[in-house]
Structure formats: C-alpha cells, structure tokens
Amino acid sequence: MTRRALLLATISLTMLCLPTSADEEKTLQAEDEFNLAKDGLALQGYDPVAYFKEGGATPTPGKGSITHTLGKRTYRFATEANRDRFKASPEKYEPAYGGWCAYAMGDSGEKVEINPKAFIITDGQLFLFYKTFLTDTRKPWTENEATLKPKADTAWERISAAPGKKNP
C-alpha cells in the first residue's frame, strides 16, 4: 500500500468514527438511557416520521423490512420515503427525552413508558406520553407545558449526561 493510500485510508476511518455534529455526539452518549426494547427497537416499532405532517401526521407502525439503525437504536418505517427522510435528518424526527413520557420527565424527572399513539408535535419536536383508558398525560402537559418543558429538559440532561447512569 502506498503512503498516499495509507493516509487516505486512515483519514477515511477517522472520519467514519467521528460524529457529524455535537447533537449527534450527545445523542450517541445518551443511548443507554433511550426507551428501547431489548433488541434496540425504538418507538415500539412505530415510524418516527409518520408523526409529522410530511409522514401523514398519524402514528403508524413501521414495517420490519424497512428499517434504519442509528447507533444502538433501530427504527422501523411505514414507507421507504419516510426512512429516507429520517436518514437525511434523524435529529428532526427522533422523539424528545429518549422516547420516554414527556409529562413524567417534566413532573418527576422519571423515565415512564409511553403509548406510541399519544403524542404532540410542538415547535417541530415529537413528544410522547403515557396513556391508558383512565389516564392521558397529554392534557396536564398541554395545560402546564411552559413549566413542565424546562423541567423535562433539565431532567433529561441529567439522565442522559452520564452514559449507563440510571435515574436515581
């Protein structure tokens, strides 16, 4: 291998190992705290783009044959077009707070499971919520979002700052 080829190979490998942005680096560090199934499946298999207008604005299960893995997180998509949108801008489509309930994150700083059909898009960001027959945390979030969102941001920052650190 020539010196030039060796240098180019070294540079290429170095570039592959570097995150493309500070946000991506932070997300990769927080991966252990994301709401994932044991196999790394995110959003309980729902298509993250489907929540947004360009994806249909309706929570839609993704297909096992149309996926994209980002770090340890595997997302499923209802269409190849949605997968391509996600690949072009994953930070736009990934859910806030690692896919945990936004209300619980703001109210108590806890990681609480979500119902993938219970969501709100605010300022282009996907927020997911706990919802059962008797409880829907979207209502108290909406009524107190100005107070809860900064608390949720702070709680997620604390939880995701130390990889592998469990929420106290």
Side-chain angles (χ1 to χ4, degrees), residues 71-112:
K72 297 177 184 176
R73 304 175 309 284
T74 299
Y75 290 94
R76 290 183 180 169
F77 300 90
T79 67
E80 290 180 9
N82 281 1
R83 181 194 59 207
D84 294 344
R85 284 183 185 105
F86 182 88
K87 286 171 75 171
S89 298
E91 67 284 349
K92 177 179 179 181
Y93 298 107
E94 284 200 298
Y97 315 127
W100 298 104
C101 174
Y103 173 78
M105 192 65 63
D107 184 55
S108 63
E110 297 291 324
K111 297 186 298 186
V112 172

Short mmCIF file of all heavy atoms in Angstrom, two decimals, residues 71-112:
data_model
loop_
_atom_site.label_atom_id
_atom_site.label_comp_id
_atom_site.label_asym_id
_atom_site.label_seq_id
_atom_site.Cartn_x
_atom_site.Cartn_y
_atom_site.Cartn_z
N GLY A 71 -26.84 4.22 15.73
CA GLY A 71 -26.22 3.80 16.98
C GLY A 71 -26.82 2.46 17.40
O GLY A 71 -26.83 1.51 16.62
N LYS A 72 -27.37 2.39 18.60
CA LYS A 72 -28.00 1.17 19.11
C LYS A 72 -29.50 1.15 18.85
O LYS A 72 -30.18 0.19 19.19
CB LYS A 72 -27.77 1.06 20.62
CG LYS A 72 -26.32 0.93 21.02
CD LYS A 72 -26.20 0.89 22.53
CE LYS A 72 -24.76 0.87 22.98
NZ LYS A 72 -24.64 0.93 24.44
N ARG A 73 -30.04 2.22 18.26
CA ARG A 73 -31.47 2.36 18.07
C ARG A 73 -31.87 1.94 16.66
O ARG A 73 -31.34 2.43 15.69
CB ARG A 73 -31.89 3.82 18.30
CG ARG A 73 -31.46 4.32 19.67
CD ARG A 73 -31.74 5.79 19.90
NE ARG A 73 -31.29 6.73 18.89
CZ ARG A 73 -30.02 7.13 18.72
NH1 ARG A 73 -29.06 6.61 19.45
NH2 ARG A 73 -29.71 8.02 17.81
N THR A 74 -32.85 1.03 16.60
CA THR A 74 -33.38 0.62 15.31
C THR A 74 -34.80 1.17 15.16
O THR A 74 -35.65 0.94 16.02
CB THR A 74 -33.40 -0.91 15.18
OG1 THR A 74 -32.06 -1.39 15.29
CG2 THR A 74 -34.00 -1.35 13.85
N TYR A 75 -35.00 1.90 14.09
CA TYR A 75 -36.31 2.46 13.79
C TYR A 75 -36.92 1.71 12.62
O TYR A 75 -36.21 1.31 11.69
CB TYR A 75 -36.19 3.95 13.43
CG TYR A 75 -35.81 4.81 14.61
CD1 TYR A 75 -34.49 5.12 14.88
CD2 TYR A 75 -36.80 5.30 15.47
CE1 TYR A 75 -34.15 5.91 15.97
CE2 TYR A 75 -36.46 6.08 16.56
CZ TYR A 75 -35.14 6.38 16.80
OH TYR A 75 -34.81 7.16 17.89
N ARG A 76 -38.23 1.53 12.67
CA ARG A 76 -38.97 0.95 11.56
C ARG A 76 -39.75 2.06 10.87
O ARG A 76 -40.15 3.03 11.51
CB ARG A 76 -39.95 -0.12 12.06
CG ARG A 76 -39.26 -1.35 12.56
CD ARG A 76 -40.27 -2.39 12.97
NE ARG A 76 -39.60 -3.58 13.47
CZ ARG A 76 -40.21 -4.56 14.09
NH1 ARG A 76 -41.53 -4.52 14.28
NH2 ARG A 76 -39.53 -5.60 14.52
N PHE A 77 -40.03 1.86 9.59
CA PHE A 77 -40.71 2.87 8.80
C PHE A 77 -41.84 2.25 7.99
O PHE A 77 -41.73 1.11 7.52
CB PHE A 77 -39.71 3.58 7.88
CG PHE A 77 -38.62 4.25 8.67
CD1 PHE A 77 -37.46 3.56 8.97
CD2 PHE A 77 -38.77 5.54 9.16
CE1 PHE A 77 -36.46 4.14 9.74
CE2 PHE A 77 -37.79 6.12 9.92
CZ PHE A 77 -36.63 5.42 10.22
N ALA A 78 -42.89 3.03 7.81
CA ALA A 78 -44.04 2.58 7.03
C ALA A 78 -43.73 2.61 5.53
O ALA A 78 -44.28 1.81 4.77
CB ALA A 78 -45.27 3.44 7.34
N THR A 79 -42.86 3.52 5.13
CA THR A 79 -42.50 3.65 3.72
C THR A 79 -41.00 3.91 3.57
O THR A 79 -40.36 4.39 4.51
CB THR A 79 -43.24 4.84 3.05
OG1 THR A 79 -42.76 6.06 3.62
CG2 THR A 79 -44.75 4.74 3.23
N GLU A 80 -40.49 3.62 2.41
CA GLU A 80 -39.08 3.90 2.14
C GLU A 80 -38.84 5.41 2.12
O GLU A 80 -37.77 5.87 2.52
CB GLU A 80 -38.65 3.25 0.84
CG GLU A 80 -38.57 1.73 0.95
CD GLU A 80 -38.13 1.04 -0.33
OE1 GLU A 80 -37.72 1.72 -1.28
OE2 GLU A 80 -38.20 -0.20 -0.36
N ALA A 81 -39.83 6.18 1.66
CA ALA A 81 -39.69 7.64 1.65
C ALA A 81 -39.52 8.18 3.07
O ALA A 81 -38.69 9.07 3.31
CB ALA A 81 -40.91 8.29 0.98
N ASN A 82 -40.26 7.62 4.03
CA ASN A 82 -40.10 8.05 5.42
C ASN A 82 -38.73 7.68 5.95
O ASN A 82 -38.09 8.46 6.66
CB ASN A 82 -41.20 7.45 6.31
CG ASN A 82 -42.51 8.18 6.19
OD1 ASN A 82 -42.65 9.14 5.43
ND2 ASN A 82 -43.50 7.72 6.93
N ARG A 83 -38.26 6.49 5.60
CA ARG A 83 -36.91 6.09 6.03
C ARG A 83 -35.86 7.06 5.47
O ARG A 83 -34.96 7.48 6.17
CB ARG A 83 -36.59 4.66 5.58
CG ARG A 83 -35.19 4.22 6.04
CD ARG A 83 -34.70 3.00 5.37
NE ARG A 83 -34.66 3.20 3.93
CZ ARG A 83 -34.78 2.22 3.05
NH1 ARG A 83 -34.95 0.98 3.43
NH2 ARG A 83 -34.73 2.49 1.77
N ASP A 84 -36.02 7.43 4.21
CA ASP A 84 -35.06 8.34 3.59
C ASP A 84 -35.11 9.72 4.23
O ASP A 84 -34.07 10.35 4.42
CB ASP A 84 -35.31 8.42 2.08
CG ASP A 84 -35.03 7.09 1.38
OD1 ASP A 84 -34.37 6.20 1.98
OD2 ASP A 84 -35.50 6.93 0.23
N ARG A 85 -36.30 10.20 4.59
CA ARG A 85 -36.42 11.49 5.30
C ARG A 85 -35.68 11.41 6.64
O ARG A 85 -34.96 12.33 7.02
CB ARG A 85 -37.89 11.84 5.55
CG ARG A 85 -38.63 12.33 4.35
CD ARG A 85 -40.07 12.73 4.74
NE ARG A 85 -40.81 13.09 3.58
CZ ARG A 85 -41.74 12.35 2.99
NH1 ARG A 85 -42.08 11.17 3.53
NH2 ARG A 85 -42.37 12.77 1.92
N PHE A 86 -35.88 10.32 7.35
CA PHE A 86 -35.24 10.14 8.65
C PHE A 86 -33.72 10.10 8.50
O PHE A 86 -33.00 10.76 9.25
CB PHE A 86 -35.74 8.85 9.32
CG PHE A 86 -35.16 8.63 10.68
CD1 PHE A 86 -35.77 9.17 11.80
CD2 PHE A 86 -34.01 7.88 10.86
CE1 PHE A 86 -35.24 8.97 13.07
CE2 PHE A 86 -33.47 7.67 12.12
CZ PHE A 86 -34.09 8.24 13.22
N LYS A 87 -33.24 9.33 7.55
CA LYS A 87 -31.79 9.21 7.35
C LYS A 87 -31.16 10.57 7.04
O LYS A 87 -30.04 10.84 7.46
CB LYS A 87 -31.49 8.22 6.22
CG LYS A 87 -31.71 6.77 6.63
CD LYS A 87 -31.63 5.82 5.46
CE LYS A 87 -30.25 5.59 4.98
NZ LYS A 87 -30.17 4.50 3.97
N ALA A 88 -31.89 11.43 6.35
CA ALA A 88 -31.38 12.75 6.00
C ALA A 88 -31.34 13.70 7.20
O ALA A 88 -30.48 14.57 7.27
CB ALA A 88 -32.22 13.36 4.88
N SER A 89 -32.26 13.52 8.16
CA SER A 89 -32.35 14.43 9.33
C SER A 89 -32.86 13.70 10.56
O SER A 89 -33.95 13.99 11.06
CB SER A 89 -33.29 15.59 9.01
OG SER A 89 -32.83 16.35 7.96
N PRO A 90 -32.12 12.74 11.10
CA PRO A 90 -32.63 11.99 12.26
C PRO A 90 -32.95 12.88 13.45
O PRO A 90 -33.91 12.62 14.19
CB PRO A 90 -31.52 10.99 12.57
CG PRO A 90 -30.32 11.49 11.88
CD PRO A 90 -30.78 12.31 10.72
N GLU A 91 -32.17 13.95 13.67
CA GLU A 91 -32.42 14.82 14.82
C GLU A 91 -33.78 15.50 14.74
O GLU A 91 -34.36 15.86 15.76
CB GLU A 91 -31.30 15.86 14.96
CG GLU A 91 -31.24 16.89 13.84
CD GLU A 91 -30.66 16.40 12.50
OE1 GLU A 91 -30.08 15.30 12.44
OE2 GLU A 91 -30.79 17.16 11.52
N LYS A 92 -34.32 15.63 13.55
CA LYS A 92 -35.65 16.25 13.37
C LYS A 92 -36.76 15.31 13.82
O LYS A 92 -37.79 15.75 14.31
CB LYS A 92 -35.84 16.63 11.90
CG LYS A 92 -37.21 17.20 11.60
CD LYS A 92 -37.36 17.57 10.15
CE LYS A 92 -38.76 18.12 9.90
NZ LYS A 92 -38.97 18.48 8.51
N TYR A 93 -36.55 14.01 13.64
CA TYR A 93 -37.63 13.05 13.85
C TYR A 93 -37.54 12.23 15.14
O TYR A 93 -38.54 11.65 15.56
CB TYR A 93 -37.71 12.10 12.65
CG TYR A 93 -38.02 12.84 11.37
CD1 TYR A 93 -37.06 13.03 10.39
CD2 TYR A 93 -39.29 13.36 11.15
CE1 TYR A 93 -37.35 13.72 9.22
CE2 TYR A 93 -39.59 14.05 9.99
CZ TYR A 93 -38.61 14.22 9.02
OH TYR A 93 -38.91 14.92 7.88
N GLU A 94 -36.38 12.16 15.75
CA GLU A 94 -36.28 11.37 16.97
C GLU A 94 -37.11 12.02 18.07
O GLU A 94 -37.16 13.26 18.18
CB GLU A 94 -34.83 11.23 17.43
CG GLU A 94 -34.08 10.23 16.59
CD GLU A 94 -32.84 9.72 17.28
OE1 GLU A 94 -31.94 10.53 17.57
OE2 GLU A 94 -32.77 8.51 17.55
N PRO A 95 -37.75 11.24 18.91
CA PRO A 95 -38.60 11.81 19.96
C PRO A 95 -37.78 12.48 21.06
O PRO A 95 -36.64 12.11 21.33
CB PRO A 95 -39.35 10.59 20.52
CG PRO A 95 -38.46 9.43 20.22
CD PRO A 95 -37.76 9.77 18.93
N ALA A 96 -38.40 13.47 21.69
CA ALA A 96 -37.79 14.15 22.84
C ALA A 96 -37.63 13.16 23.99
O ALA A 96 -38.37 12.19 24.11
CB ALA A 96 -38.67 15.32 23.27
N TYR A 97 -36.66 13.45 24.82
CA TYR A 97 -36.42 12.72 26.08
C TYR A 97 -36.22 11.22 25.86
O TYR A 97 -36.67 10.39 26.66
CB TYR A 97 -37.54 12.99 27.09
CG TYR A 97 -37.89 14.44 27.16
CD1 TYR A 97 -39.20 14.88 27.00
CD2 TYR A 97 -36.89 15.41 27.34
CE1 TYR A 97 -39.50 16.24 27.03
CE2 TYR A 97 -37.19 16.77 27.37
CZ TYR A 97 -38.50 17.17 27.20
OH TYR A 97 -38.81 18.52 27.23
N GLY A 98 -35.56 10.87 24.75
CA GLY A 98 -35.23 9.48 24.50
C GLY A 98 -36.43 8.59 24.27
O GLY A 98 -36.32 7.37 24.32
N GLY A 99 -37.59 9.18 24.00
CA GLY A 99 -38.80 8.40 23.77
C GLY A 99 -39.59 8.07 25.02
O GLY A 99 -40.54 7.29 24.98
N TRP A 100 -39.24 8.68 26.15
CA TRP A 100 -39.98 8.49 27.40
C TRP A 100 -41.11 9.52 27.48
O TRP A 100 -41.12 10.50 26.75
CB TRP A 100 -39.05 8.63 28.61
CG TRP A 100 -37.97 7.61 28.65
CD1 TRP A 100 -36.65 7.81 28.34
CD2 TRP A 100 -38.08 6.23 29.00
NE1 TRP A 100 -35.94 6.65 28.47
CE2 TRP A 100 -36.79 5.66 28.87
CE3 TRP A 100 -39.14 5.42 29.39
CZ2 TRP A 100 -36.54 4.31 29.15
CZ3 TRP A 100 -38.87 4.08 29.66
CH2 TRP A 100 -37.60 3.54 29.54
N CYS A 101 -42.03 9.33 28.41
CA CYS A 101 -43.17 10.22 28.59
C CYS A 101 -42.69 11.63 28.94
O CYS A 101 -42.01 11.83 29.95
CB CYS A 101 -44.10 9.69 29.68
SG CYS A 101 -45.45 10.81 30.09
N ALA A 102 -43.07 12.60 28.12
CA ALA A 102 -42.66 13.99 28.34
C ALA A 102 -43.23 14.54 29.65
O ALA A 102 -42.53 15.23 30.39
CB ALA A 102 -43.10 14.85 27.16
N TYR A 103 -44.48 14.23 29.92
CA TYR A 103 -45.10 14.73 31.16
C TYR A 103 -44.36 14.22 32.39
O TYR A 103 -44.00 15.00 33.28
CB TYR A 103 -46.59 14.34 31.24
CG TYR A 103 -47.18 14.70 32.57
CD1 TYR A 103 -47.54 16.02 32.86
CD2 TYR A 103 -47.34 13.75 33.57
CE1 TYR A 103 -48.05 16.37 34.10
CE2 TYR A 103 -47.85 14.09 34.81
CZ TYR A 103 -48.20 15.39 35.07
OH TYR A 103 -48.70 15.74 36.31
N ALA A 104 -44.11 12.93 32.45
CA ALA A 104 -43.41 12.36 33.61
C ALA A 104 -42.01 12.93 33.74
O ALA A 104 -41.54 13.20 34.85
CB ALA A 104 -43.36 10.83 33.51
N MET A 105 -41.34 13.14 32.62
CA MET A 105 -39.99 13.70 32.65
C MET A 105 -40.04 15.09 33.28
O MET A 105 -39.18 15.45 34.08
CB MET A 105 -39.42 13.76 31.23
CG MET A 105 -37.94 14.05 31.16
SD MET A 105 -36.84 12.79 31.86
CE MET A 105 -37.14 11.37 30.83
N GLY A 106 -41.06 15.89 32.94
CA GLY A 106 -41.18 17.24 33.49
C GLY A 106 -41.74 17.28 34.90
O GLY A 106 -41.35 18.13 35.70
N ASP A 107 -42.62 16.36 35.21
CA ASP A 107 -43.28 16.36 36.52
C ASP A 107 -42.39 15.79 37.61
O ASP A 107 -42.29 16.36 38.69
CB ASP A 107 -44.59 15.57 36.43
CG ASP A 107 -45.37 15.60 37.72
OD1 ASP A 107 -45.66 16.71 38.22
OD2 ASP A 107 -45.68 14.51 38.24
N SER A 108 -41.73 14.65 37.33
CA SER A 108 -40.96 13.98 38.37
C SER A 108 -39.54 13.63 37.96
O SER A 108 -38.78 13.11 38.77
CB SER A 108 -41.68 12.69 38.79
OG SER A 108 -41.74 11.79 37.69
N GLY A 109 -39.20 13.87 36.70
CA GLY A 109 -37.86 13.51 36.23
C GLY A 109 -37.69 12.02 36.05
O GLY A 109 -36.57 11.52 35.97
N GLU A 110 -38.79 11.29 35.92
CA GLU A 110 -38.75 9.84 35.81
C GLU A 110 -38.90 9.39 34.36
O GLU A 110 -39.56 10.04 33.56
CB GLU A 110 -39.88 9.21 36.63
CG GLU A 110 -39.79 9.48 38.12
CD GLU A 110 -38.64 8.75 38.77
OE1 GLU A 110 -38.34 7.60 38.37
OE2 GLU A 110 -38.04 9.32 39.68
N LYS A 111 -38.33 8.24 34.05
CA LYS A 111 -38.49 7.61 32.75
C LYS A 111 -39.72 6.70 32.84
O LYS A 111 -39.68 5.67 33.50
CB LYS A 111 -37.24 6.80 32.38
CG LYS A 111 -36.01 7.66 32.23
CD LYS A 111 -34.81 6.89 31.73
CE LYS A 111 -34.38 5.81 32.68
NZ LYS A 111 -33.13 5.14 32.29
N VAL A 112 -40.79 7.11 32.18
CA VAL A 112 -42.05 6.39 32.22
C VAL A 112 -42.42 5.96 30.80
O VAL A 112 -42.27 6.73 29.85
CB VAL A 112 -43.17 7.27 32.84
CG1 VAL A 112 -44.54 6.62 32.72
CG2 VAL A 112 -42.84 7.57 34.30
#
